[in-house]
Amino acid sequence: LFIPLAEENDLIDEVTAVMLERALHQCSRWRAEGLSLQLAVNLSVNSLERLDLPEYLVGVTEKAELSPSQVVLEVTESRLSDNPTALLDITTRLRLKRFELSIDDFGTGYSSLQQLQRLPFTELKIDQAFVTGAAEDAKARSILESSADLARRLGMKIVAEGIESQADWDLVADLGCDLAQGYFIARPMPGEEIMGWLDEWRAANKLIVV
């Protein structure tokens, strides 16, 4: 509810700065505890019109003693058509500085294929509407399979959103998705609880997480 208000009142850059600096600090703490993760953060399309955005992001990332390659910047697909010229300029400069770029909620907008062709995205996040329950929904499964195949052909990392059951998990694994997120894996939690949760997950699933 508050994000559109922040955008409408030109406060989104301040919100983003607080969120980003806290997230980078947490990622740096995980790294000190031996857990090296890529950090995914959402960016407003409004922020992508800032000409100094790439330099600002490099500065706060290096201040946290992290590399830009450890940061994935997520942009919601349904907003990508607002200012295509500025988006191309800023996203290209972000990639040159080695930030990863993710197109979020893929499938919910109207210009998906054009944006994938024009902009230098490295990751595609398939919207949960086409993932949750897709094992029992033939239409959703078809869209999920097609999206995963498209991302693979474009050399993009594939992330499936909305994993809420074992059937969802098994399906996205069979389709070769690289990453998954959803309540079946874990609910949102404070950063300081991640290490304890990870130990329990490893024990329960007998997994070695790198």
Side-chain angles (χ1 to χ4, degrees):
L1 295 175
F2 71 86
I3 292 295
L5 290 175
E7 291 176 332
E8 291 168 10
N9 291 279
D10 296 325
L11 296 171
I12 193 63
D13 287 342
E14 286 83 353
V15 173
T16 298
V18 172
M19 174 275 299
L20 180 62
E21 290 177 22
R22 286 191 175 192
L24 288 167
H25 176 69
Q26 180 63 68
C27 192
S28 183
R29 290 179 59 185
W30 287 328
R31 186 181 181 88
E33 295 177 26
L35 182 61
S36 182
L37 297 174
Q38 270 198 318
L39 178 70
V41 294
N42 291 92
L43 278 185
S44 167
V45 171
N46 295 36
S47 296
L48 285 175
E49 297 180 3
R50 280 184 55 180
L51 294 179
D52 66 336
L53 181 67
E55 290 73 26
Y56 163 73
L57 291 175
V58 168
V60 294
T61 301
E62 291 181 345
K63 182 180 179 181
E65 299 183 345
L66 298 172
S67 164
S69 62
Q70 292 177 265
V71 179
V72 182
L73 304 171
E74 298 183 2
V75 185
T76 302
E77 184 247 347
S78 59
R79 293 284 314 280
L80 284 174
S81 60
D82 288 4
N83 192 339
T85 302
L87 282 173
L88 179 59
D89 174 42
I90 301 300
T91 56
T92 300
R93 290 167 55 206
L94 287 168
R95 283 296 298 133
L96 289 172
K97 293 184 181 299
R98 298 175 51 237
F99 288 101
E100 300 289 320
L101 295 175
S102 178
I103 181 168
D104 197 11
D105 297 338
F106 182 77
T108 59
Y110 299 99
S111 55
S112 308
L113 298 180
Q114 182 185 25
Q115 302 299 350
L116 287 178
Q117 180 185 28
R118 294 181 66 252
L119 302 175
F121 287 103
T122 58
E123 178 182 281
L124 185 148
K125 296 188 71 174
I126 303 172
D127 188 73
Q128 62 182 353
F130 311 113
V131 177
T132 307
E136 293 80 33
D137 185 328
K139 290 184 178 179
R141 178 171 182 148
S142 295
I143 295 172
L144 171 60
E145 290 176 345
S146 298
S147 299
D149 183 60
L150 175 64
R152 190 176 299 107
R153 289 173 181 270
L154 294 173
M156 301 172 69
K157 185 186 295 182
I158 309 165
V159 182
E161 302 179 299
I163 307 300
E164 297 192 359
S165 68
Q166 184 71 52
D168 294 339
W169 174 276
D170 293 339
L171 177 57
V172 299
D174 289 342
L175 293 177
C177 294
D178 300 290
L179 296 172
Q181 70 179 62
Y183 286 176
F184 180 71
I185 304 162
R187 290 180 177 271
M189 68 185 78
E192 59 269 20
E193 296 180 10
I194 291 289
M195 296 299 293
W197 168 82
L198 184 56
D199 289 339
E200 293 176 5
W201 173 264
R202 285 170 169 162
N205 295 278
K206 297 181 180 178
L207 290 176
I208 299 175
V209 180
V210 179

